[in-house]
Amino acid sequence: MPNPALPPIPLVSGALMPKVVYPDQDHLIQSRDSNFIFGSVGNGNATLTINGVAVPVQPNGSYIAFLPNPPATQPTYDLVAVLNGDTARLTRTVRLLPVMPALALDGPLTVDSSSVVPNTRLSLRDDDQVWVSVRAPGNAGVSWMGDSGITAPLVSDAPVSGSYAGDPDRWATEIAAHFLRKPTQLVITRGVDTVRLVLPAVAVAPTTPTYGMLGALPYPGPPVNDTDRVIIARPTAGGTYKWLLMPGTVLRMTGANGDFVHVSLGDELGAWVKSEDIKTLPTGYAPRPRIAENARLLPVAGAVDLRIPMSSRPPYLVEEDDHKITLTLYDTRANTDILQYVSNDSTVRDVSWTQETNDRIRFTLRLSSQAYGYLAFWDGSAFVLRIRRPPVVNPQKPLQGLVIAVDPGHPPIGATGPTGLYEADAVLDVGERLRDMLQRRGATVVMTRTTRGAVALADRPIIARRANAQALVSIHLNALPDGVNPFTTNGTGAYFFQPQSAPLARALQNGMVSRMHLRNLGVYYDNLALARPTWMPAVLGEGAFIMMPDQEAALRTPRFQTAYAQGIADGLENYFRSLGRQ
Ligand SMILES: [Zn+2]
């Protein structure tokens, strides 16, 4: 059914020439049951079958289908396009995930000896928990046996994630590293059968203090001082981002798991960083204890600084709450008798601090409104948390005088539609229209890209921050991961990561939905590079799905490109107007 809100799809009556845009030849399909396939046949009057299933062809010759995966015995999509008695065929070969058949519930006991986890080199402290797992039949008994005869059961309904998800035969438990210092065994039994598998020993984490410097610079040497580079630290190896630390921060290294190094944040708290992000310092290196001296609140242009003098960069965490910012400094002691601050600051109402544990300090800043933006940096002798003041907005002309960063997404990478429209080209058209609209409404626009040439993902937020932009909007077109039905999941969505950006994401979403008239998929929290900046509200729009034939065709028209740009411009204007009213 054509969407009446979209421009009509034009008729194309070219030569019959079936093409598959997705999946690529030899693509490894990531789903186990069904997947989508899209492309074009070159003529809107043609008919098409794929693996015998009739697939609608749009007037411009494009198609998309959501089909059962082809069988492992013949992993191909066979396309047959017919026009006026002429037939054209195309075969697209793909690869399928290895089948994971359920292990037999009878007969001789069979287990999967290659499935034992852990399977990487581990170096851990005694109390660190190790995920121990194996594939075994659902009606077996599975237990771990330590070297002193101590045992623990594995269970078949333990939560599993990542590549282990969806495996009905996965048994698992957690064992403290202390019990795994020698090779131990997994014992699988059923009836009279018993299978024993060896679990490799877990090495002891270094006991002599070993320190490393984040940022992987040669030592000695000046650590980089670039506020735009952060090192990501995570609560679990390979897990989600939690801390964004400064290059040059020195941390005690307390373990390893594959490509991740465990570091101490003091007082029993640890985190994981990628091994490439930390450079081991020479043996015997011992950092001076870090003491936070008297903190001060200092107004600077457009912002106010909380300045905390100390001897070296601390690991830290900034958390935002409604009208509040909390700063935690790890591995740092306070010698903060007097907290000097300007008592009538219009942005920061009040600062308080507590020594939370022996070596952890927490500062709490009460703000007069929701945080607008902040930046943490090291100035050579002090840790500075710079709190940005919201811009002064004229409610009649909300964008007047503001600096807006517009980021047309990609290249590199990016999605491609059924007739070959490339996401990066389409969003550049939208971005240029948006730039003109914002300029007409009085804003100064900074484009991260004005040509088809590639701009590195990491450079784009830096362009916005260096321009001191008051908002950053990244423009994209969506495509789905393998296995998701595109007919039920397509439309308009907006993404944010920092709480301070949520109001702008909601305004952007409302603007896009009311101008583009596609399904409202809502506002999402997602850890995207263009949504991570903290210095300004930063959001990402996925206005339409380029993989859908009708939306791709619409994106080729000035009318729909304008609608997308207008939706974003309206969203920005409404967001800043609401700031002006506060
Ligand atoms: Zn994109």
Side-chain angles (χ1 to χ4, degrees):
M1 272 300 284
N3 179 343
L6 297 179
I9 301 178
L11 183 69
V12 169
S13 45
L16 191 61
M17 198 190 299
K19 285 183 186 162
V20 177
V21 168
Y22 191 93
D24 287 332
Q25 181 72 14
D26 297 323
H27 173 77
L28 177 64
I29 294 181
Q30 300 295 319
S31 65
R32 292 194 183 275
D33 43 14
S34 299
N35 200 26
F36 45 79
I37 174 170
F38 59 83
S40 67
V41 296
N43 190 303
N45 292 316
T47 61
L48 172 68
T49 64
I50 302 178
N51 290 351
V53 178
V55 171
V57 174
Q58 302 302 318
N60 64 356
S62 63
Y63 67 86
I64 184 168
F66 188 64
L67 301 174
N69 288 350
T73 48
Q74 197 193 343
T76 58
Y77 290 104
D78 297 310
L79 284 75
V80 180
V82 177
L83 177 68
N84 301 330
D86 288 343
T87 299
R89 295 171 190 274
L90 177 71
T91 294
R92 169 68 28 116
T93 303
V94 292
R95 293 180 300 136
L96 299 167
L97 291 172
V99 278
M100 210 177 273
L103 297 169
L105 295 176
D106 48 21
L109 174 62
T110 319
V111 300
D112 183 351
S113 62
S114 68
S115 67
V116 174
V117 180
N119 51 11
T120 54
R121 182 189 66 88
L122 291 176
S123 154
L124 297 172
R125 295 168 305 174
D126 277 352
D127 293 341
D128 289 335
Q129 296 291 316
V130 180
W131 196 70
V132 170
S133 173
V134 68
R135 296 192 72 223
N139 61 351
V142 184
S143 60
W144 165 84
M145 189 190 285
D147 66 329
S148 56
I150 181 174
T151 64
L154 274 68
V155 294
S156 59
D157 56 357
V160 293
S161 59
S163 56
Y164 303 114
D167 177 357
D169 290 331
R170 192 47 77 176
W171 294 69
T173 190
E174 285 192 328
I175 310 268
H178 164 69
F179 295 107
L180 300 171
R181 295 306 186 198
K182 294 176 182 165
T184 54
Q185 289 185 351
L186 290 176
V187 182
I188 301 108
T189 57
R190 188 175 64 194
V192 295
D193 292 345
T194 299
V195 174
R196 292 170 186 271
L197 299 173
V198 174
L199 209 57
V202 171
V204 181
T207 48
T208 54
T210 305
Y211 290 88
M213 182 183 284
L214 296 181
L217 275 180
Y219 176 87
V224 285
N225 191 15
D226 182 348
T227 55
D228 293 308
R229 225 197 123 204
V230 294
I231 306 294
I232 293 153
R234 313 157 194 250
T236 57
T240 182
Y241 296 12
K242 169 136 183 173
W243 298 274
L244 304 175
L245 304 179
M246 296 173 186
T249 304
V250 173
L251 296 167
R252 184 164 170 187
M253 301 162 77
T254 46
N257 180 352
D259 291 337
F260 284 84
V261 171
H262 190 263
V263 293
S264 166
L265 300 180
D267 275 346
E268 319 252 307
L269 184 65
W272 296 88
V273 296
K274 275 193 172 159
S275 50
E276 70 201 37
D277 283 337
I278 188 160
K279 167 99 180 164
T280 307
L281 296 174
T283 319
Y285 176 91
R288 277 200 291 150
R290 189 166 29 241
I291 311 287
E293 305 290 348
N294 293 348
R296 295 212 296 156
L297 203 58
L298 291 173
V300 294
V304 55
D305 285 354
L306 175 65
R307 194 170 183 284
I308 313 167
M310 60 186 74
S311 55
S312 60
R313 293 166 182 76
Y316 72 97
L317 178 67
V318 179
E319 290 164 294
E320 262 182 77
D321 215 331
D322 191 35
H323 289 45
K324 196 170 84 177
I325 285 185
T326 314
L327 167 67
T328 306
L329 301 176
Y330 302 99
D331 217 353
T332 306
R333 283 159 196 269
N335 184 24
T336 310
D337 298 330
I338 313 157
L339 197 68
Q340 303 170 9
Y341 69 95
V342 185
S343 58
N344 60 350
D345 189 85
S346 61
T347 303
V348 179
R349 285 283 155 81
D350 174 70
V351 183
S352 58
W353 69 273
T354 54
Q355 181 87 47
E356 263 219 328
T357 68
N358 267 344
D359 59 3
R360 193 180 308 163
I361 328 175
R362 175 164 292 175
F363 287 84
T364 304
L365 292 79
R366 275 203 312 117
L367 309 179
S368 53
S369 60
Q370 181 168 32
Y372 185 75
Y374 65 86
L375 202 61
F377 60 96
W378 176 248
D379 84 347
S381 59
F383 178 93
V384 180
L385 181 63
R386 176 161 291 174
I387 311 292
R388 196 175 191 188
R389 301 192 198 280
V392 177
V393 173
N394 170 0
Q396 269 70 51
K397 278 198 114 199
L399 299 179
Q400 182 75 49
L402 299 185
V403 178
I404 308 291
V406 171
D407 173 51
H410 316 284
I413 63 172
T416 301
T419 65
L421 179 63
Y422 177 38
E423 177 184 359
D425 294 342
V427 297
L428 184 56
D429 286 336
V430 176
E432 285 170 346
R433 287 170 197 276
L434 175 61
R435 174 194 58 203
D436 297 347
M437 282 173 205
L438 296 176
Q439 285 172 346
R440 280 200 296 275
R441 299 183 195 194
T444 300
V445 177
V446 178
M447 302 286 287
T448 59
R449 172 169 81 86
T450 54
T451 70
R452 293 181 169 211
V455 175
L457 190 63
D459 289 348
R460 297 168 186 244
I462 296 175
I463 292 168
R465 193 194 62 77
R466 293 193 175 156
N468 211 28
Q470 271 121 349
L472 166 59
V473 178
S474 185
I475 311 169
H476 286 255
L477 294 165
N478 224 335
L480 292 169
D482 284 2
V484 182
N485 186 340
F487 296 99
T488 55
T489 310
N490 71 79
T492 299
Y495 294 73
F496 74 98
F497 184 62
Q498 308 293 351
Q500 66 192 25
S501 301
L504 177 57
R506 285 191 286 271
L508 195 79
Q509 177 69 2
N510 290 339
M512 292 189 295
V513 167
S514 52
R515 292 284 190 175
M516 300 173 78
H517 306 291
L518 299 177
R519 186 183 289 141
N520 186 348
L521 297 177
V523 172
Y524 296 83
Y525 166 87
D526 201 352
N527 185 359
L528 304 167
L530 269 295
R532 278 200 294 274
T534 59
W535 185 234
M536 75 285 292
V539 295
L540 189 140
E542 297 273 9
F545 271 65
I546 199 169
M547 65 192 287
M548 299 306 290
D550 56 347
Q551 295 174 40
E552 185 207 32
L555 283 160
R556 292 186 186 275
T557 66
R559 176 182 139 192
F560 196 69
Q561 292 166 6
T562 301
Y564 193 170
Q566 273 174 332
I568 298 175
D570 291 354
L572 284 164
E573 196 164 78
N574 287 333
Y575 168 72
F576 283 106
R577 185 179 290 119
S578 73
L579 281 191
R581 278 201 215 95
Q582 278 178 355

